[in-house]
């Protein structure tokens, strides 16, 4: 599906595209400058997402996108004191529970790296803190969350599974506001400041103090030093401004930074020895929106994103580093014309990725490879889509065309020292791919509709996980000379029906997804990938997934909530694995169910509960032992043939809202994570002395937090 | 008050009792197999070791290992013309310590040998061809490079010529007179079937530093094996003893079902070396 056409004049191509779009935007703004347009129109045009405030949004919405209501999320149990928009996504249909202490989204059989996560246009590589317990997105800043798992419009690309687009408010607040949350292990504060009528500023910070307060306290009351000598910390910072230049133009800038630090001195059965790890995500974006008329909008943004991971393990003798930098410019036009809603534009990015670097102490008995490469790449995507709205029928048809270059400098390491060197800027490998997209919705009547989507998706940046729990110890592995881009065909269809004046929303959806060029670590042993040239070592295969999703949601009344259930199969097939036979992927979940209930007793009290159940993940365990060649050997059966015990958990929460005093309002929250202390398996292991064993991480965790708004 | 006390007790009980999932591990696909480790080398008698595999829930100790040794099998080796039923005996220098050995049939280079094992109503078979042995072109004894090596220690290296069109690989075993068994130089793991031309390998002794002492008398056994055996021994050398490592593929065996293991033809050259 990829053609490898070479564009030798790529610099000119980029400059031309950039200049054309920029000046087209500016000139159009000038021509239409005397057309009046209200701010509310601007916001409406800027968003192609569904507003859940519309009662029948699930029936009439285009694509199978979901707009998450922030107010609803704030009522859910607060894990470690914070309402978490990212965590809430794991409770909706189509998204699998990943297991104990595992972060990330696994959407319809896709891997975690197949989600495009955008925060104000900044691409986020690692959106979670504390083993994936909660996200790094500040709930007080988050204004709009759009999650698309099928029927992805053409303006989104670079991912196979889903889009999570999170944005902060563009409105200028009338008064200074201060929000905060004070908890046992972390606190956060958010301010929004109107500087003038047209400009406002916001800043938010959150930090943990586990090492400063919790660990010394635990040590004082006699908790084992094996636990208290481990260290963990995190913080995140958001800042930005909104500038309403005039009635037609708005400019905003956003800064995002999150970092986590982990030092494990002694955790049994993790097999890492003493280890230290730090990972961080830094981003910046500048956005400009111009409304030329009430039917013509121009939006452009420039963003920078950086992800950095440093890991030292095996008693700090071995260290590895993985990095990713991306610079993106995106410009698009939205144009309403009769029944049509056109959107077209361009997205250009320049990326630097450093998959891994191994640094080993001489006494570690590990010899790192000297064959390291940074991978530079440039991607240009042109997209066009038309959403046509007939009375009952809506068709969203689009196309996205990509030109991708793996660029020098780069050394192609070959046998016999016949290496080939590509100098800086030279094209090492080009890829060209086209992504057609189609979405159809037909209204059967006022309360029911059917939807169908078919889409081709191509992904040029991949991540290869090295540790199977909530630490983002992933190698950033873009398409290169040896690694082809991932691609998929995704077909999805569903029936949506509302009852009782839209109080009850129900849906049933089915999907099939075929994925090419999926990546897997060789030998399941990450030493292999640390000690050799990564892009030549990683295995490539195919995957396919299919399933059925049911959802029932109650939107009104004292008791609200939803129930979602997924029945799914997720397969992978690699020539080098399982003797070439298909095998169930690690993230295969036959059954996955979530039940969310919220009970508003009165204006002061509300209660909520989350129950989730998921079939256990797949892994390899030995079937038998025997003696051969004077060694004790283990016989493994088919790949991933063992299924861990099921994952299930109940979280409860109670909120008490204090009486407001002038502008000051506050509430106290008590949340209990894993109420019945289910010891969900974190790791299953086998050793020749004790046989099989299981380790657990997260027991019952009560948490008290105080949140205020001024 | 009593009501609140009961609630408190309930939560404390939850905390301590919790909900423990059982590791209901049923190794789907487990089948008992006859584990075969057999060798036939040029000018040497055939030897075969037999045992059973054990499910992972069975504890690993000396009793269970001894219980898994097969001592009542009928083992037959044939070259197509001559057939011999092997005789069995204890061999305490090997693990598992029971051997089936031919007393008449000896291996010849280039010849194919058929193995048949009959045990408990099951029959497993295999065949192997003894590859032509490879001569060592030169043996070199030198003073070791290590700074801290004693003056009385020496390095032994062997040079031989590889013809990669034969798709063979090579194993070095050495035994000093004082040693109870052979020690293998870890060369096979690093060797690839595409190696070609002259190769020099440093032969390792059983000493922790791998060196030989002046005056040592060393028996060097240089073995040529075919590509099937190469893959098998490479697989069992890489990671399978690391319990945590996950296998991408099940091991490939040249023994028919319900057997597993290797019936290996070896082209052998033996050398006596005195370290001076």
């Amino acid at each position: 599906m990829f053609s490898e056409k070479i564009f030798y004049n790529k610099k000119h191509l980029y400059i031309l595209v950039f200049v054309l779009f920029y000046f087209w935007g500016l000139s159009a703004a000038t021509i239409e400058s005397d057309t009046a347009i209200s701010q509310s129109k601007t916001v409406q045009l800027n968003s192609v997402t569904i507003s859940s405030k519309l009662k029948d949004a699930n029936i009439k919405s285009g694509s199978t996108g979901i707009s998450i209501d922030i107010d609803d999320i704030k009522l859910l149990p607060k894990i470690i004191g914070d309402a978490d928009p990212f965590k809430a996504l794991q409770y909706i249909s189509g998204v699998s529970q990943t297991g104990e202490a595992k972060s990330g989204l696994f959407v319809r059989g896709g891997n975690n790296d197949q989600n495009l996560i955008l925060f104000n246009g900044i691409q986020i590589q690692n959106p979670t803190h504390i083993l994936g317990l909660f996200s790094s997105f500040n709930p007080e800043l988050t204004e709009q969350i759009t999650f698309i798992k099928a029927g992805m419009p053409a303006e989104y690309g670079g991912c196979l599974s889903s889009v999570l687009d999170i944005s902060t408010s563009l409105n200028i607040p009338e008064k200074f506001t201060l929000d905060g949350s004070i908890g046992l292990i972390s606190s956060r504060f958010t301010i929004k400041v109107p500087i003038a009528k047209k400009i406002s500023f916001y800043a938010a910070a959150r930090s943990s103090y586990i090492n400063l307060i919790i660990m010394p306290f635990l040590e004082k009351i006699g908790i084992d030093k094996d636990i208290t000598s481990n260290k963990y910390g995190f913080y995140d910072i958001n800042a930005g401004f909104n500038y309403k230049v005039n009635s037609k133009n708005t400019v905003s800038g956003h800064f995002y930074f999150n970092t986590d630090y982990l030092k494990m001195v002694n955790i049994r059965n993790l097999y890492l020895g003493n280890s230290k790890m730090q990972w961080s995500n830094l981003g910046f974006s500048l956005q400009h929106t111009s409304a030329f008329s009430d039917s013509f909008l121009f939006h452009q943004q420039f963003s920078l994103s950086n992800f950095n991971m440093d890991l030292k393990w095996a008693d700090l003798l071995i260290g590895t580093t993985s990095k990713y930098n991306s610079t993106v410019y995106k410009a698009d036009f939205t144009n309403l014309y009769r029944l049509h809603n056109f959107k077209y534009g361009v997205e250009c990015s320049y990326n630097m990725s450093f998959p891994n670097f191994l640094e080993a102490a001489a006494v570690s008995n590990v010899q790192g490879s000297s064959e390291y490469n940074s991978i530079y790449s440039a991607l240009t995507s042109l997209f066009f889509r038309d959403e046509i709205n007939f009375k009952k029928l809506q068709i969203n048809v689009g196309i996205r065309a990509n030109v991708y270059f793996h660029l020098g400098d780069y050394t192609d390491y070959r046998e016999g020292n016949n290496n080939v060197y590509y100098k800086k800027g030279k094209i090492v490998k080009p890829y060209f791919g086209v992504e057609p997209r189609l979405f159809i919705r037909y209204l059967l009547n006022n309360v029911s509709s059917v939807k169908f989507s078919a889409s081709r998706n191509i992904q040029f940046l991949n991540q290869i996980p090295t540790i199977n729990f909530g630490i983002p110890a992933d190698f950033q592995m873009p398409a290169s000379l040896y690694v082809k881009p991932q691609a998929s065909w995704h077909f999805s269809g569903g029936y949506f029906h509302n009852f009782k004046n839209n109080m009850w929303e129900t849906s049933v959806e089915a999907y099939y997804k075929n994925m090419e060029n999926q990546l897997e670590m060789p030998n399941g042993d990450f030493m292999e990938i640390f000690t050799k040239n990564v892009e030549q070592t990683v295995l490539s295969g195919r995957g396919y997934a299919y399933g059925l999703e049911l959802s029932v949601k109650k939107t009104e009344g004292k008791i609200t909530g939803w129930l979602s259930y997924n029945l799914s199969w997720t397969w992978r097939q690699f020539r080098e694995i399982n003797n070439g036979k298909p095998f169930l992927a690690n993230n295969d979940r036959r059954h996955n169910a979530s039940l969310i209930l919220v009970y508003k007793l009165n204006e002061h009290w509300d209660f909520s509960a989350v129950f989730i159940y998921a079939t256990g993940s797949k892994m390899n365990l030995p079937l038998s032992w025997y003696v051969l060649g004077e060694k004790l050997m283990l016989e493994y059966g088919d790949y991933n043939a063992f299924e861990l015990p099921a994952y299930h958990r109940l979280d409860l929460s109670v909120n008490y809202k204090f009486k407001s005093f002038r502008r000051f309002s506050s509430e106290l929250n008590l949340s209990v994570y894993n109420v019945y202390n289910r010891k969900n398996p974190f790791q299953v292991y086998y050793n020749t002395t004790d046989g099989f064993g299981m380790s657990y991480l997260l027991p019952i965790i009560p948490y008290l937090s105080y949140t205020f708004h001024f | 008050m009593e009501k609140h006390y009961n609630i408190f007790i309930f939560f404390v009980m939850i905390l301590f009792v919790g909900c423990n999932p059982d590791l209901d591990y049923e190794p789907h696909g487990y089948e008992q197999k006859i584990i075969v480790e057999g060798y036939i080398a040029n000018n040497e008698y055939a030897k075969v070791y037999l045992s059973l595999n054990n499910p992972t829930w069975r504890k690993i100790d000396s009793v269970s290992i001894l219980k898994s040794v097969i001592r009542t099998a009928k083992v037959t080796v044939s070259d197509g013309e001559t057939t011999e039923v092997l005789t069995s005996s204890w061999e305490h220098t090997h693990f598992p310590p029971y051997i089936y050995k031919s007393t008449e049939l000896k291996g010849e280079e280039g010849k194919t040998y058929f193995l048949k094992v009959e045990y408990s109503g099951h029959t497993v078979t295999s065949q192997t061809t003894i590859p032509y042995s490879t001569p060592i072109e030169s043996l070199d004894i030198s003073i070791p490079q290590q700074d801290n090596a004693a003056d009385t220690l020496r390095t032994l290296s062997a040079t031989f010529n590889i013809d990669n069109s034969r798709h063979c690989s090579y194993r070095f075993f050495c035994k000093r007179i004082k040693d109870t068994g052979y020690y293998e130089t870890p060369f096979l793991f690093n060797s690839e079937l595409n190696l070609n031309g002259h190769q020099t390998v440093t032969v390792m002794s059983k000493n922790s530093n791998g060196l030989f002492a002046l005056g040592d008398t060393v028996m060097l056994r240089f073995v040529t094996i075919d590509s099937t055996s190469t893959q098998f021994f490479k697989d069992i050398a890489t990671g399978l003893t690391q319990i945590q490592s996950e296998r991408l593929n099940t091991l490939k065996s040249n023994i028919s079902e319900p057997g597993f293991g290797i019936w290996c033809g070896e082209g052998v050259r033996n050398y006596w070396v005195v370290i001076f």
Side-chain angles (χ1 to χ4, degrees):
Chain A
M1 191 67 192
F2 301 106
S3 95
E4 295 166 2
K5 235 176 188 177
I6 297 173
F7 289 80
Y8 290 105
N9 54 347
K10 62 185 187 309
K11 278 184 189 167
H12 299 120
L13 181 76
Y14 288 135
I15 293 166
L16 182 70
V17 168
F18 181 88
V19 170
L20 269 176
F21 270 83
Y22 194 77
F23 284 101
W24 185 10
L26 286 185
S27 61
T30 313
I31 293 163
E32 303 284 346
S33 61
D34 53 3
T35 310
I37 187 164
S38 68
Q39 177 64 25
S40 61
K41 280 276 189 199
T42 306
V43 173
Q44 190 188 348
L45 277 170
N46 194 21
S47 167
V48 292
T49 58
I50 316 124
S51 163
S52 64
K53 301 245 168 30
L54 290 174
K55 274 187 165 185
D56 55 355
N58 64 317
I59 301 294
K60 292 182 177 169
S61 66
S63 83
T64 28
I66 298 163
S67 184
I68 308 287
D69 196 319
I70 304 299
D71 292 336
D72 282 353
I73 288 170
K74 285 179 182 172
L75 295 174
L76 297 182
K78 295 178 177 175
I79 301 164
I80 320 296
D82 256 332
D84 188 357
F86 188 78
K87 199 74 186 170
L89 285 173
Q90 293 186 344
Y91 309 145
I92 65 175
S93 65
V95 182
S96 296
Q97 289 299 322
T98 51
E100 186 76 330
K102 286 173 186 160
S103 57
L105 297 173
F106 292 80
V107 183
R108 291 187 164 180
N111 291 332
N112 184 40
D113 72 327
Q114 294 173 352
N115 307 303
L116 175 68
I117 300 173
L118 299 169
F119 182 73
N120 285 325
I122 305 165
Q123 196 174 333
I124 305 297
Q125 305 290 322
N126 168 45
T128 59
H129 288 304
I130 306 195
L131 305 173
L133 265 179
F134 69 99
S135 78
S136 53
F137 302 121
N138 191 316
E140 294 302 337
L141 283 179
T142 308
E143 171 83 3
Q144 183 176 295
I145 306 173
T146 304
F147 178 68
I148 302 169
K149 61 181 179 181
M152 205 179 288
E155 60 263 35
Y156 292 111
C159 59
L160 296 197
S161 282
S162 76
V163 172
L164 175 61
D165 196 349
I166 299 176
S167 51
T168 54
S169 173
L170 292 173
N171 292 328
I172 311 290
E174 287 178 9
K175 289 177 180 169
F176 168 85
T177 63
L178 168 67
D179 293 281
S181 173
I182 298 164
L184 293 174
I185 66 165
S186 72
S187 292
R188 64 173 162 78
F189 297 95
T190 307
I191 55 165
K192 293 174 187 168
V193 187
I195 295 171
K197 274 190 176 176
K198 288 184 172 184
I199 189 162
S200 69
F201 166 79
Y202 69 84
R206 169 167 46 188
S207 177
S208 69
Y209 28 79
I210 302 166
N211 301 330
L212 291 174
I213 298 170
I214 305 297
M215 289 302 190
F217 173 73
L218 292 177
E219 204 173 320
K220 233 171 194 178
I221 61 170
I223 300 290
D224 194 346
K225 259 205 155 184
D226 277 3
I227 294 170
T228 56
S229 50
N230 296 299
K231 296 202 182 309
Y232 180 77
F234 65 86
Y235 66 92
D236 54 63
I237 299 168
N238 289 273
F241 70 91
N242 293 316
Y243 176 42
K244 194 175 165 187
V245 182
N246 52 39
S247 61
K248 298 167 198 67
N249 289 282
T250 57
V251 175
S252 63
H254 310 276
F255 171 81
Y256 169 92
F257 180 71
N258 83 52
T259 189
D260 287 55
Y261 169 83
L262 175 67
K263 187 180 173 192
M264 289 189 285
V265 178
N266 188 8
I267 293 184
R268 260 165 276 167
N269 301 322
L270 280 184
Y271 306 101
L272 288 170
N274 285 355
S275 52
K276 231 162 60 171
M277 191 171 185
Q278 182 154 19
W279 60 98
S280 59
N281 214 156
L282 173 72
F284 167 79
S285 72
L286 196 60
Q287 299 179 319
H288 167 225
T289 303
S290 194
F292 308 141
S293 71
D294 55 0
S295 60
F296 197 27
L297 187 83
F298 171 65
H299 178 78
Q300 60 178 338
Q301 67 179 41
F302 172 78
S303 66
L304 300 169
S305 174
N306 163 272
F307 177 74
N308 203 17
M309 187 273 292
D310 284 305
L311 169 65
K312 280 199 182 344
W313 49 289
D315 292 330
L316 311 181
L317 293 174
I318 304 173
T320 187
T321 302
S322 189
K323 289 178 184 175
Y324 176 69
N325 288 325
S326 179
T327 308
V328 183
Y329 175 76
K330 185 176 180 180
D332 60 63
F333 295 88
T334 305
N335 193 186
L336 302 178
Y337 177 72
R338 294 186 179 169
L339 299 175
H340 299 269
N341 179 345
F342 297 108
K343 191 158 195 165
Y344 41 89
V346 65
E347 187 170 356
C348 306
S349 66
Y350 181 75
N351 313 300
M352 191 286 287
S353 181
F354 191 57
N356 81 312
F357 172 76
L358 184 88
E359 186 184 23
V363 290
S364 67
N365 290 327
V366 173
Q367 193 182 352
S369 166
S370 57
E371 301 173 354
Y372 295 116
N373 267 313
S374 291
I375 295 175
Y376 298 91
S377 61
L379 171 66
T380 300
S381 307
L382 292 169
F383 55 86
F384 172 87
R385 67 124 171 102
D386 181 13
E387 186 182 282
I388 313 158
N389 285 289
F390 300 102
K391 197 176 178 187
K392 287 189 166 182
L393 181 69
Q394 183 190 77
I395 299 173
N396 189 326
V397 60
I399 193 160
R400 189 176 175 95
N402 307 285
V403 182
Y404 176 90
F405 299 113
H406 171 200
L407 300 169
D409 65 23
Y410 179 81
T411 305
D412 177 14
Y413 294 101
R414 294 184 180 180
E415 275 184 17
N417 217 17
N418 297 318
N419 302 339
V420 178
Y421 175 70
Y422 296 85
K423 66 178 182 181
K424 199 171 180 182
K426 192 173 180 193
I427 295 170
V428 180
K429 182 85 177 173
Y431 292 100
F432 174 69
V434 177
E435 303 168 68
R437 310 275 173 85
L438 174 70
F439 171 82
I440 299 170
R441 184 222 62 202
Y442 183 75
L443 286 177
L444 299 170
N445 50 47
N446 281 341
V447 292
S448 61
S449 67
V450 287
K451 298 175 186 179
F452 169 79
S453 70
S455 63
R456 173 77 172 166
N457 290 58
I458 299 174
Q459 180 171 326
F460 295 93
L461 175 68
N462 318 298
Q463 292 169 7
I464 306 172
T466 55
I467 297 175
N468 196 20
F469 65 100
I471 293 174
D474 301 345
F475 291 152
Q476 310 293 320
M477 176 57 66
S480 65
L481 183 62
Y482 289 98
V483 177
K484 284 185 177 175
Q486 296 185 58
S488 72
W489 275 107
H490 182 187
F491 302 95
S492 177
Y495 173 71
F496 296 74
H497 193 105
N498 289 1
F499 297 94
K500 289 202 169 180
N501 197 24
N502 298 311
M503 186 166 82
W504 290 88
E505 296 175 355
T506 62
S507 68
V508 52
E509 292 174 81
Y511 67 91
Y512 177 80
K513 195 187 272 186
N514 184 46
M515 296 166 277
E516 301 152 32
N517 304 323
Q518 302 300 286
L519 302 178
E520 192 89 6
M521 295 254 289
N523 278 352
D525 175 1
F526 70 154
M527 277 309 299
E528 185 84 4
I529 207 160
F530 275 120
T531 53
K532 290 185 178 171
N533 187 333
V534 182
E535 62 264 35
Q536 291 183 32
T537 314
V538 70
L539 306 176
S540 176
R542 69 181 282 255
Y544 53 98
Y546 43 89
L548 192 72
E549 297 162 4
L550 305 173
S551 174
V552 179
K553 189 175 182 183
K554 184 171 181 283
T555 57
E556 291 172 20
K558 275 204 160 185
I559 297 176
T560 54
W562 71 86
L563 170 70
S564 66
Y565 169 74
N566 307 334
L567 174 68
S568 60
W569 286 260
T570 303
W571 296 89
R572 297 286 184 272
Q573 188 173 21
F574 289 71
R575 194 165 45 86
E576 300 88 348
I577 302 177
N578 203 34
N579 300 318
K581 290 182 290 180
F583 60 91
L584 289 167
N586 286 350
N587 59 325
D588 174 77
R589 298 285 179 279
R590 189 71 63 254
H591 306 285
N592 192 108
S594 305
L595 175 66
I596 283 82
L597 290 174
V598 177
Y599 176 56
K600 290 178 192 168
L601 179 67
N602 53 41
E603 61 176 15
H604 292 294
W605 291 95
D606 58 70
F607 303 85
S608 63
V610 171
F611 175 74
I612 52 179
Y613 174 91
T615 307
S617 57
K618 305 293 181 294
M619 67 175 292
N620 295 309
L621 280 178
L623 292 174
S624 73
W625 59 264
Y626 55 93
V627 177
L628 201 148
E630 303 204 66
K631 283 178 183 170
L632 188 64
M633 307 288 296
L634 294 173
E635 182 204 7
Y636 284 82
D638 286 342
Y639 196 76
N640 275 354
F642 176 69
E643 187 176 290
L644 284 174
Y647 179 91
H648 53 86
R649 195 186 83 223
L650 173 69
D651 305 337
L652 294 177
S653 174
V654 54
N655 269 320
Y656 179 77
K657 286 191 181 97
F658 294 99
K659 207 173 176 185
S660 299
F661 177 71
R662 293 185 181 172
R663 285 180 58 207
F664 186 81
S665 61
S666 63
E667 65 181 60
L668 193 64
N669 174 269
L670 173 67
S671 291
V672 185
Y673 177 87
N674 194 5
V675 169
Y676 54 86
N677 197 23
R678 161 78 175 177
K679 289 180 175 170
N680 283 306
F682 166 63
Q683 192 182 43
V684 173
Y685 54 88
Y686 177 80
N687 66 46
T688 49
T689 326
D690 305 322
F692 290 102
M694 249 194 302
S695 58
Y696 320 92
L697 268 192
L698 301 171
I700 179 172
I701 306 174
Y703 198 87
L704 194 66
S705 66
Y706 176 73
T707 308
F708 62 89
H709 173 81
F710 176 73
Chain B
M1 187 63 197
E2 193 182 329
K3 193 179 166 187
H4 291 135
Y5 180 75
N6 288 340
I7 292 169
F8 175 73
I9 292 291
F10 172 74
F11 277 103
V12 169
M13 278 178 70
I14 282 176
L15 194 63
F16 286 99
V17 176
C19 172
N20 273 323
D22 292 324
L23 182 59
D24 189 17
Y25 180 55
E26 291 173 26
H28 299 291
Y30 166 74
E31 287 169 8
Q32 195 164 59
K33 287 177 180 163
I34 299 168
I35 307 298
V36 179
E37 182 189 354
Y39 303 93
I40 184 159
N42 50 311
N43 302 319
E44 292 181 11
Y45 295 116
K47 48 188 181 181
V48 176
Y49 303 92
L50 299 175
S51 59
L52 294 169
N53 63 332
N54 292 272
T56 32
W57 65 79
R58 189 167 294 158
K59 210 174 173 191
I60 303 174
D61 54 27
S62 55
V63 176
S64 57
I65 290 173
L66 277 178
K67 269 187 181 173
S68 68
V69 172
I70 297 175
R71 293 190 288 143
T72 55
K74 182 184 174 191
V75 182
T76 311
V77 174
S78 166
D79 63 1
E81 294 164 6
T82 312
T83 302
E84 183 181 349
V85 176
L86 308 192
T87 53
S88 63
S89 62
W90 289 99
E91 188 188 71
H92 294 290
T93 54
H94 192 272
F95 184 68
Y98 201 79
I99 187 170
Y100 294 80
K101 210 169 176 183
S102 65
T103 53
E104 290 175 9
L105 193 74
K106 282 187 171 180
E108 283 178 43
E109 289 179 346
K111 222 169 176 180
T112 299
Y113 292 87
F114 302 90
L115 173 74
K116 185 161 89 172
V117 176
E118 293 162 86
Y119 173 70
S120 191
H122 299 287
T123 302
V124 299
T125 58
S126 183
Q127 69 177 65
T128 186
T129 302
I130 298 178
Y132 287 95
S133 61
T134 310
I136 290 178
E137 292 184 338
S138 67
L139 285 161
D140 183 45
I141 298 164
S142 56
I143 297 168
Q145 299 289 318
Q146 292 101 307
D147 293 338
N148 55 355
D151 293 344
T152 54
L153 297 178
R154 293 292 181 269
T155 300
L156 174 64
S157 50
T159 302
F160 60 103
N161 192 17
I162 294 178
D163 173 6
N164 66 2
S165 65
R166 291 177 60 197
H167 296 291
C168 286
S169 67
Y170 307 89
R171 304 179 80 182
F172 284 91
F173 297 88
C174 76
K175 188 170 93 168
R176 296 167 300 182
I177 286 186
K178 59 186 173 187
D179 293 335
T180 50
Y182 278 98
Y183 178 73
E184 183 173 6
T185 297
F187 170 68
L188 180 81
F189 173 68
N190 296 316
S191 72
E192 299 290 340
L193 290 170
N194 57 6
L195 280 181
N196 201 22
H198 291 280
Q199 302 290 325
T200 299
V201 173
T202 302
V203 180
M204 311 286 278
S205 80
K206 211 173 182 177
N207 272 346
S208 59
N209 56 12
L211 300 174
F212 295 90
L214 282 176
D216 276 347
T217 301
V218 180
M219 187 179 176
L220 182 63
R221 184 177 167 84
F222 182 44
V223 180
T224 305
I225 57 174
D226 66 11
S227 58
T228 306
S229 302
T230 301
Q231 192 55 53
F232 184 83
F233 286 111
K234 279 184 84 162
D235 279 351
I236 68 168
T238 54
L240 264 189
T241 51
Q242 294 170 24
I243 305 299
Q244 287 304 315
S245 95
E246 296 176 356
R247 294 294 310 173
L248 291 182
N249 290 300
T250 48
L251 280 177
K252 287 190 176 66
S253 152
N254 68 351
I255 311 290
S256 69
E257 293 282 344
F260 178 82
I262 189 77
W263 170 232
C264 174
E266 297 179 322
V268 174
R269 299 264 178 142
N270 290 308
Y271 299 87
W272 285 97
V273 185
V274 178
I275 306 296
F276 59 91

